[in-house]
Amino acid sequence: MSDTFPPGFLWGTATAAYQIEGAARENGRTPSIWDTFSHTPGKVEKGDTGDIAVDHFHRRAEDVRMMADLGVNAYRFSVSWPRVQPTGRGPAIQRGLDFYRGLVDDLLAHGIEPVLTLYHWDLPQELEAAGGWPERETAYRFAEYARAVAEALGDRVTRWTTLNEPWCSAFLGYGSGVHAPGRTDPVAALRAAHHLNLGHGLAAQALRSVLPAGGQVSVSLNPAAVRARTQSPGDLDARRRIDALANRVFTGPMLTGAYPEDLLADTARLTDWAFVRAGDAAVSRQPLDSLGINYYQPAVVSAAPGQDAAGRDPGRQDRQDGHGASEHSPWPGAESVAFHQPPGELTEMGWSVDPSGLYDLLLRYTREAPGLPLMVTENGAAYPDKPDADGAVHDPDRIRYLHGHLSAVQRAIADGADVRGYFLWSLMDNFEWAYGYGKRFGAVHVDYETQRRTPKSSARWYARLAGTGVLPEVPIG
């Protein structure tokens, strides 16, 4: 196996608007569901909010220069929906779009390709008040928003992503309630999943109608590498159930134009799926130029003791699924499946370090979607990074993590996966959703009091990789 990545490979970093921008009330921006959620007592650790975040809105030029210094050739960012379309309806406001015009121009001037994500969880609060993603109308509003952004930036941005991790939007936002908007209704979660699928398809159609020739459309999913704890029939069925809810609920409509029959059967006691209208799944299946894969850890599952033949067990389980504590499950129809902590090293999030899951996913979607290029659009780890006495930030654990996962990408490429790029999560430390500022994923350390940026050792290591295409060794010590 070669230690050199293919020519033309994209070496990027990634961020999300609410996690980094700040300027929550400037230039006409209105609240998103994450503004409302983070300002609700008890929802985010220490009451942290993204009001200021890492002030990227005002430090955009500095941050782009920092990326250029790191040698990356691509930057995956998201547009804040309420910054450019404050009510979630009607025409975009130009002063909101101007920020992204300036960002794209800065990136291009430094030789960095912009990779734009339309939705990274910041639904305008006004749309949530009207019902949010469980309502069909939201999918149409999303397509309208997609068209407006494409009309403004399509002449300079080639790579477009509709949704980031719709599983989190649907099942953490409307099922377990640990993400915004914090609702806990399993049927609403399934409805949201469907309307995210529909919104993806409608937005992809809107993009294709506006973008010039050569425009590329993608979606970034966070598929689960689901493993049964044993080969018992119960554990294998638990794996099937979670695979349906974590993966096939999205890849079914998006890649094949149909929901899996076993998913419909598993959830029949909750809903008859009458919210799916004729033709919806076909709309969700739009031609893609690549499929984004976000990966952090595998899932190990088993049948919970005492569940019945239909998988019912209303008793709360300690899921250990890595998605935050809640009395409510993000797994409608599979609430009683037990999740298990794999043995071995953990990140500060309590997530297992297991690159084999990334390899398995890349090979899985190579088989299931032959001919569709893949991108690793998020991969990274949180560690308790602190500056030393000289102000330097050394993070050898992150370097080992990246080396292991990039080796898995190389192995997947050698075994036939058409992987076109890798985006490190994240460019810099930022607001980590319900964990606030307590978890640091960045290759660049941010002092939240002063907003000083300090590249960590992993940033310099990644810069060598981006510059040469050759996987550097892990430093000793």
Side-chain angles (χ1 to χ4, degrees):
M1 183 181 74
S2 171
D3 62 354
T4 302
F5 283 84
F9 198 82
L10 287 183
W11 293 107
T13 59
T15 63
Y18 188 72
Q19 292 183 273
I20 68 166
E21 285 182 2
R25 299 174 184 85
E26 293 189 32
N27 287 359
R29 183 187 181 277
T30 57
S32 73
I33 55 175
W34 268 98
D35 294 274
T36 303
F37 187 81
S38 65
H39 280 269
T40 302
K43 296 298 186 182
V44 175
E45 288 188 10
K46 298 183 179 180
D48 291 338
T49 76
D51 288 0
I52 299 173
V54 295
D55 199 30
H56 173 69
F57 185 84
H58 298 110
R59 297 169 183 266
R60 182 194 76 211
E62 170 191 348
D63 290 340
V64 173
R65 288 194 298 271
M66 179 174 68
M67 282 183 254
D69 291 341
L70 295 179
V72 298
N73 59 22
Y75 174 51
R76 179 174 175 256
F77 65 95
S78 76
V79 172
S80 169
W81 190 345
R83 194 178 296 287
V84 303
Q85 197 186 36
T87 66
R89 298 177 176 84
I93 57 173
Q94 294 306 311
R95 56 185 172 170
L97 287 168
D98 283 346
F99 172 75
Y100 298 104
R101 289 189 180 103
L103 173 60
V104 168
D105 288 346
D106 288 348
L107 291 167
L108 293 173
H110 286 85
I112 300 170
E113 182 169 3
V115 180
L116 187 152
T117 298
L118 286 164
Y119 187 71
H120 200 133
W121 307 353
D122 49 358
L123 184 72
Q125 181 59 39
E126 201 163 310
L127 289 185
E128 173 58 24
W133 283 110
E135 295 302 317
R136 186 179 185 87
E137 185 66 16
T138 304
Y140 292 96
R141 299 287 67 77
F142 179 58
E144 179 185 77
Y145 155 69
R147 178 185 295 273
V149 178
E151 287 174 344
L153 298 174
D155 60 332
R156 283 161 289 179
V157 176
T158 299
R159 299 180 188 272
W160 294 75
T161 301
T162 55
L163 305 172
N164 179 78
E165 297 186 359
W167 185 89
C168 295
S169 297
F171 295 105
L172 300 185
Y174 294 93
S176 68
V178 299
H179 278 192
R183 289 160 63 179
T184 54
D185 179 345
V187 177
L190 293 168
R191 290 174 60 94
H194 174 62
H195 295 133
L196 284 155
N197 282 327
L198 180 63
H200 157 75
L202 293 169
Q205 289 177 336
L207 292 173
R208 298 277 187 207
S209 73
V210 172
L211 295 178
Q216 298 188 26
V217 177
S218 182
V219 64
S220 285
L221 306 178
N222 58 319
V226 189
R227 295 166 178 172
R229 192 180 192 190
T230 73
Q231 294 302 297
S232 71
D235 288 3
L236 292 174
D237 189 64
R239 181 181 67 184
R240 180 198 59 76
R241 286 175 178 271
I242 298 303
D243 182 68
L245 283 165
N247 301 328
R248 291 181 283 122
V249 66
F250 297 109
T251 58
M254 289 183 184
L255 299 182
T256 71
Y259 283 99
E261 291 296 328
D262 62 324
L263 170 68
L264 305 183
D266 289 345
T267 56
R269 64 183 173 85
L270 297 170
T271 177
D272 61 3
W273 289 75
F275 48 83
V276 180
R277 298 184 185 176
D280 281 1
V283 171
S284 302
R285 186 189 185 188
Q286 295 298 314
L288 296 175
D289 296 291
S290 65
L291 176 65
I293 303 294
N294 296 358
Y295 173 79
Y296 292 95
Q297 67 166 348
V300 178
V301 301
S302 70
Q307 74 178 30
D308 66 17
R312 290 187 290 249
D313 180 0
R316 179 174 182 241
Q317 299 293 326
D318 181 10
R319 290 190 304 275
Q320 297 192 48
D321 59 7
H323 296 301
S326 173
E327 296 288 336
H328 303 273
S329 173
W331 304 104
E335 295 88 346
S336 63
V337 169
F339 286 74
H340 304 275
Q341 180 67 67
E345 182 184 352
L346 303 178
T347 70
E348 195 182 20
M349 295 290 288
W351 297 348
S352 63
V353 179
D354 188 345
S356 68
L358 178 55
Y359 171 87
D360 291 346
L361 289 171
L362 294 174
L363 267 292
R364 172 178 179 171
Y365 291 108
T366 296
R367 293 189 302 271
E368 294 186 5
L372 181 61
L374 305 175
M375 293 270 191
V376 180
T377 41
E378 283 187 29
N379 179 235
Y383 290 105
D385 309 313
K386 296 179 181 179
D388 63 18
D390 296 324
V393 183
H394 299 289
D395 56 343
D397 290 338
R398 182 173 290 103
I399 293 174
R400 285 192 292 272
Y401 179 99
L402 295 177
H403 188 279
H405 286 77
L406 284 158
S407 295
V409 174
Q410 282 188 327
R411 187 159 62 94
I413 292 171
D415 289 343
D418 183 10
V419 186
R420 303 284 182 89
Y422 176 94
F423 290 80
L424 169 64
W425 187 269
S426 176
L427 170 63
M428 52 189 161
D429 298 332
N430 54 48
F431 177 81
E432 186 49 43
W433 306 115
Y435 294 95
Y437 296 97
K439 306 296 186 209
R440 294 180 177 270
F441 276 86
V444 174
H445 181 274
V446 178
D447 182 320
Y448 297 124
E449 295 295 322
T450 66
Q451 297 293 350
R452 178 188 174 111
R453 278 89 157 122
T454 304
K456 304 173 187 178
S457 298
S458 61
R460 295 189 292 272
W461 182 90
Y462 191 63
R464 291 197 299 275
L465 172 58
T468 64
V470 178
L471 191 62
E473 292 298 322
V474 176
I476 298 173

